[in-house]
Amino acid sequence: MADKDTFTLVNETSHHKLYDDYNELTNGHLVDPQAFLTAAFRRQYPELAVTCTSARTPALLAFAGAGHATFELDTKEESINHQRGYIPGNARYGYTEGLYEFRYFAKYNYRWGNEFFILYIVDLGYYGSFNFILKEPGTNETTLSNTKVVDELIMACGKWQYPVDNDFIYVFDGYWSASKALWRQVQKAEWKDVILNEEMKTTLVELMTKFFDSEDIYKDLGVPWKRGVIFHGPAGNGKTISIKALMHSLSARTSPTVPALYVKSATSIYALRSIFLQARAMAPCMLILEDIDTIVTASSRSYFFNEVDGLENNDGIFMVASTNHLDRLDPGLSSRPSRFDRKYLFPLPSEHERTLYCEYWRNKLKNKPSIKFPRKLSPAIAGITAEFSFAYLQEAFVATLLAIAGHRSEESVRGGGDDEGGDLDDYELWREMKKQVKALRDDMDNTKDMETAIKLPERETFYDVAAVQQGVGETCYAKSTQTSGMAIRSKESLGRGNEVTGHATGEGPAHNVGPVIFDREGQASTAMDLSTKRGTAKDIPLFAGDGSLMDVSRLSLM
């Protein structure tokens, strides 16, 4: 690091400290913090040009930490606001315990090549973190203009953060970053390893390929060059691996290259704005919104709709969204073609698909002679894993192999030859697999029992189903669900009518459902099988607001 005399930019006669302005700002009026601090810097350093950037891009301290520049914390001329803490060591990853320091306000003397700068890094919480780069103006430059050398520093740092090769994937998790780790994971995801209906595989690949090859066709037809698809279905059935396989296929394109933008989380309107600004800047691109029901919320729904099909140009953006809960999505999101044009269901795997998945594992274990896995075990395992998702199947195999490795003995390795001889029980893999499948199925059953007894959501999430009981002054709301049929719970007073009519959310009369009746505390009281369209719903305990039983002798279900 250069000695102190190298930095001659500080006005020694000034007693005004920038920290005073920072302190005033963070303890007072936060209307336009960037404008406030820019004015403060110009007041403190009237002879220098002030350039403000996000502290994330360019990440100037990280750039220096990688050896491309040097910096020195300056606490002689300016105060500092920082926080210190303890980080435990981790022998597995090779680092020892130590202390960390997070700086909310700090001044640095910064050197890049033969150029010297004053750098302030200021964190303003909700408003973000900022770099304020101060540099004397060059030839034909003023203190209010951009400076060539600062622009060159920003460009150099930006190129370091975002390498020129395409071996990375853009990830948004509060801010954009380029992830080589995710890119490496995507390279391992190939369609040949995805257990999925072959016709659906072909459809998905062709849909993406044709979209990016058809800009001229869209323009010729006079329609916006954009598409959106939703992958939906129970968790653990191939949505994520299919998205990775699509990303892998996309990375193989060379003319033109098409980047993939992966949204990990977006908890605010500001985040959605950043996402679509980046997507438009990088179009054509594939924009992945995994678990979209956690990204598009009630507070951000309208803003998301405007970003997708508002006035701005989204040409070249191919959106792929996924959700485990299609029923929770706003109809404006899941049912309007201009936003998401196609929905693809990833259901629980069929017995044939489970057999293929077992064959996938059999091929993986071919080089493990200690594990006897004849072909006939694949359909046998598929036969005992009905209603298992791919995630549960994977857990069954992993748990089985770990159990075998943990308690292998002479007795446990009896029998087990080739495909032709021996009973299934002669194979250790089969014997242990049955134990693990039973344990997982018990876990699944326990989970279902918990879901059955869980409280219903609040009224505003109920569908348009109402039940009115005469003379008691109670309204009963009903909701049809896949797991428990119709759920009825007494609610607020209306005091009119004498019949209950149930409609299963736009899918016709509520019949062939097993309602779960909830008492006034929200606990499951009893269950009843309504196997016909019509009938008198007697002996169903519904509770009034005071806890007394309601008279339901005239209650009927249509």
Side-chain angles (χ1 to χ4, degrees):
M1 185 66 206
D3 58 33
K4 178 185 175 185
D5 292 339
T6 306
F7 298 97
T8 59
L9 301 176
V10 177
N11 183 353
E12 298 290 347
T13 62
S14 174
H15 298 288
H16 184 84
K17 302 296 185 184
L18 261 298
Y19 186 80
D20 297 337
D21 294 289
Y22 168 77
N23 188 57
E24 171 68 19
L25 174 64
T26 54
N27 285 283
H29 314 291
L30 288 173
V31 178
D32 189 343
Q34 181 179 334
F36 181 96
L37 284 175
T38 298
F41 281 115
R42 286 174 176 163
R43 192 165 61 246
Q44 173 71 2
Y45 300 97
E47 73 282 13
L48 302 181
V50 180
T51 302
C52 179
T53 75
S54 164
R56 297 189 184 278
T57 307
L60 293 173
L61 295 188
F63 182 61
H68 302 293
T70 59
F71 65 87
E72 181 182 72
L73 179 65
D74 183 357
T75 56
K76 293 181 180 179
E77 299 296 333
E78 191 63 76
S79 187
I80 183 172
N81 184 11
H82 57 153
Q83 172 184 305
R84 290 177 70 78
Y86 168 77
I87 297 178
N90 190 313
R92 179 178 180 183
Y93 293 103
Y95 61 84
T96 59
E97 64 181 6
L99 299 177
Y100 73 85
E101 179 167 299
F102 184 85
R103 295 168 183 166
Y104 298 94
F105 181 95
K107 175 191 174 185
Y108 300 90
N109 294 318
Y110 196 92
R111 178 175 179 174
W112 175 59
N114 294 321
E115 299 291 343
F116 298 88
F117 308 82
I118 293 176
L119 170 65
Y120 281 83
I121 296 184
V122 183
D123 181 81
L124 293 173
Y126 172 83
Y127 292 89
S129 298
F130 299 91
N131 294 322
F132 287 90
I133 309 167
L134 288 80
K135 181 67 175 173
E136 68 276 8
T139 305
N140 298 324
E141 296 174 348
T142 70
T143 57
L144 297 180
S145 69
N146 295 325
T147 58
K148 179 181 178 183
V149 68
V150 171
D151 287 347
E152 290 173 348
L153 171 60
I154 294 172
M155 182 68 72
C157 185
K159 287 182 177 180
W160 169 77
Q161 283 185 266
Y162 299 93
V164 292
D165 61 53
N166 293 315
D167 296 347
F168 61 89
I169 291 172
Y170 289 101
V171 177
F172 186 88
D173 189 11
Y175 60 93
W176 285 107
S177 62
S179 174
K180 282 188 172 289
L182 180 57
W183 182 88
R184 287 191 290 268
Q185 288 295 318
V186 164
Q187 300 314 300
K188 300 175 185 177
E190 300 186 46
W191 281 113
K192 64 182 180 63
D193 297 326
V194 179
I195 310 299
L196 193 65
N197 179 285
E198 290 298 326
E199 182 179 351
M200 188 169 172
K201 280 188 192 180
T202 302
T203 298
L204 292 177
V205 175
E206 287 183 351
L207 181 67
M208 181 192 70
T209 303
K210 287 180 179 178
F211 173 80
F212 289 115
D213 290 340
S214 303
E215 180 181 5
D216 292 340
I217 295 175
Y218 279 81
K219 288 183 177 179
D220 184 58
L221 294 173
V223 296
W225 181 38
K226 62 176 185 175
R227 294 284 282 176
V229 297
I230 295 178
F231 294 173
H232 68 98
N237 287 306
K239 297 186 293 294
T240 298
I241 187 63
S242 295
I243 287 174
K244 286 184 177 180
L246 278 176
M247 295 164 75
H248 186 185
S249 302
L250 197 64
S251 68
R253 291 179 62 96
T254 56
S255 181
T257 58
V258 178
L261 282 64
Y262 173 75
V263 179
K264 192 173 182 180
S265 68
T267 58
S268 66
I269 289 175
Y270 174 81
L272 290 177
R273 181 62 175 164
S274 298
I275 289 166
F276 280 94
L277 283 175
Q278 182 83 348
R280 293 180 190 115
M282 302 199 68
C285 66
M286 181 164 70
L287 178 61
I288 298 126
L289 304 163
E290 192 161 21
D291 294 325
I292 191 171
D293 46 299
T294 66
I295 293 172
V296 182
T297 62
S299 61
S300 63
R301 180 176 56 228
S302 296
Y303 189 87
F304 181 86
F305 292 166
N306 287 332
E307 288 288 342
V308 171
D309 59 4
L311 297 178
E312 298 198 56
N313 187 339
N314 288 329
D315 278 0
I317 299 178
F318 183 81
M319 291 192 300
V320 180
S322 71
T323 179
N324 299 334
H325 309 284
L326 186 67
D327 58 316
R328 295 183 187 176
L329 296 184
D330 187 281
L333 188 68
S334 60
S335 303
R336 181 167 170 174
S338 65
R339 290 164 183 158
F340 289 95
D341 313 286
R342 294 285 186 271
K343 296 184 287 289
Y344 294 94
L345 173 64
F346 286 71
L348 290 170
S350 65
E351 185 169 354
H352 172 66
E353 289 169 335
R354 296 196 302 274
T355 302
L356 291 177
Y357 186 79
C358 294
E359 282 293 292
Y360 166 78
W361 273 93
R362 193 173 75 86
N363 289 326
K364 281 185 68 172
L365 296 172
K366 274 185 176 180
N367 296 325
K368 303 291 182 183
S370 61
I371 304 294
K372 304 298 183 181
F373 194 164
R375 186 183 299 275
K376 63 184 177 182
L377 285 189
S378 292
I381 295 171
I384 64 172
T385 52
E387 298 185 359
F388 271 39
S389 66
F390 285 121
Y392 265 89
L393 284 168
Q394 176 177 306
E395 176 57 26
F397 273 99
V398 171
T400 296
L401 294 173
L402 288 175
I404 290 173
H407 60 70
R408 173 159 283 183
S409 66
E410 290 296 327
E411 185 276 332
S412 66
V413 192
R414 72 177 192 272
D418 53 30
D419 285 10
E420 303 300 326
D423 295 330
L424 291 178
D425 282 333
D426 288 336
Y427 295 95
E428 181 184 21
L429 182 69
W430 170 251
R431 297 195 303 274
E432 192 59 48
M433 178 64 74
K434 288 193 296 182
K435 296 177 187 177
Q436 300 302 329
V437 167
K438 182 181 183 306
L440 287 169
R441 195 171 293 283
D442 289 344
D443 179 63
M444 291 168 61
D445 292 341
N446 289 337
T447 301
K448 289 179 181 178
D449 290 341
M450 290 177 65
E451 289 175 349
T452 301
I454 199 168
K455 291 183 180 181
L456 285 179
E458 293 302 318
R459 173 182 174 182
E460 58 267 22
T461 63
F462 280 31
Y463 296 111
D464 185 17
V465 182
V468 182
Q469 171 62 28
Q470 183 183 26
V472 178
E474 283 292 319
T475 302
C476 307
Y477 289 87
K479 177 177 177 180
S480 176
T481 66
Q482 290 182 341
T483 57
S484 59
M486 179 179 290
I488 302 176
R489 183 179 182 184
S490 63
K491 298 291 283 186
E492 64 188 3
S493 173
L494 279 182
R496 60 183 176 80
N498 57 15
E499 260 190 11
V500 175
T501 304
H503 297 282
T505 321
E507 296 183 1
H511 61 279
N512 294 327
V513 296
V516 177
I517 311 305
F518 289 79
D519 63 23
R520 69 190 185 94
E521 298 299 328
Q523 302 299 318
S525 174
T526 186
M528 183 174 181
D529 180 20
L530 299 183
S531 57
T532 61
K533 278 189 180 183
R534 299 174 181 270
T536 301
K538 295 182 178 180
D539 300 321
I540 302 178
L542 292 179
F543 290 82
D546 60 1
S548 60
L549 282 170
M550 294 169 55
D551 178 12
V552 293
S553 59
R554 299 180 61 189
L555 187 67
S556 64
L557 192 69
M558 304 299 290

